[in-house]
């Protein structure tokens, strides 16, 4: 039961964290001034054309949350437990991968 609650809370926090703009992009404009943009990891993924990574994260989070809700509702089947554990692990790994990928994206403005 505790794992189910932690799983739901963790996935919600992952989705919130992926939408918080904590990256700063700077680029020199044609007039010689620098411009700054504050972007979230999702914004950077969209900018680089890699939004499919975010869609995988959403799908894994949905699987994890659904399995956790089923476990909270009393479904005692072993398959639900395995899917729940695999879902939270996969969702956490994908969250870390997204943070690594978005850290290495540098937008070019020409």
């Amino acid at each position: 039961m505790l794992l189910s609650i932690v799983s739901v809370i963790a996935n919600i926090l992952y989705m919130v964290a992926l939408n918080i703009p904590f990256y700063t992009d700077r680029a020199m404009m044609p007039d010689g001034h620098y411009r700054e943009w504050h972007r979230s990891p999702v914004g950077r993924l969209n900018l680089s054309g890699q939004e499919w990574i975010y869609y995988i994260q959403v799908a894994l989070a949905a699987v994890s949350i659904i399995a956790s809700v089923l476990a909270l509702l009393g479904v005692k089947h072993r398959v639900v437990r395995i899917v729940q554990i695999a879902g939270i692990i996969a969702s956490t790994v994908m969250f870390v991968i997204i943070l690594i990928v978005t850290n290495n994206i540098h937008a070019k403005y020409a």
Side-chain angles (χ1 to χ4, degrees), residues 30-46:
D31 62 357
H33 291 92
Y34 280 94
R35 181 162 177 211
E36 287 188 357
W37 293 269
H38 298 285
R39 300 196 193 280
S40 67
V42 173
R44 276 192 161 189
L45 287 175
N46 288 334

Side-chain angles (χ1 to χ4, degrees), residues 55-66:
Y55 297 143
I56 292 173
Q57 170 65 28
V58 170
L60 291 172
V63 167
S64 178
I65 289 173
I66 290 169

Side-chain angles (χ1 to χ4, degrees), residues 14-108:
Y14 295 160
M15 290 300 147
V16 169
L18 289 175
N19 288 296
I20 294 175
F22 55 84
Y23 290 116
T24 301
D25 292 337
R26 291 180 188 89
M28 181 179 262
M29 295 290 110
D31 62 357
H33 291 92
Y34 280 94
R35 181 162 177 211
E36 287 188 357
W37 293 269
H38 298 285
R39 300 196 193 280
S40 67
V42 173
R44 276 192 161 189
L45 287 175
N46 288 334
L47 182 68
S48 68
Q50 298 176 348
E51 23 331 271
W52 59 271
I53 297 174
Y54 178 67
Y55 297 143
I56 292 173
Q57 170 65 28
V58 170
L60 291 172
V63 167
S64 178
I65 289 173
I66 290 169
S68 296
V69 168
L70 286 174
L72 282 172
L73 292 176
V75 177
K76 299 284 186 194
H77 205 274
R78 187 167 186 232
V79 174
V80 173
R81 182 82 171 155
I82 292 171
V83 169
Q84 177 189 13
I85 292 170
I88 188 63
I89 290 171
S91 180
T92 302
V93 168
M94 187 54 70
F95 175 72
V96 171
I97 288 171
I98 288 174
L99 291 181
I100 291 170
V101 167
T102 56
N103 189 43
N104 293 321
I105 293 174
H106 301 289
K108 305 250 187 298

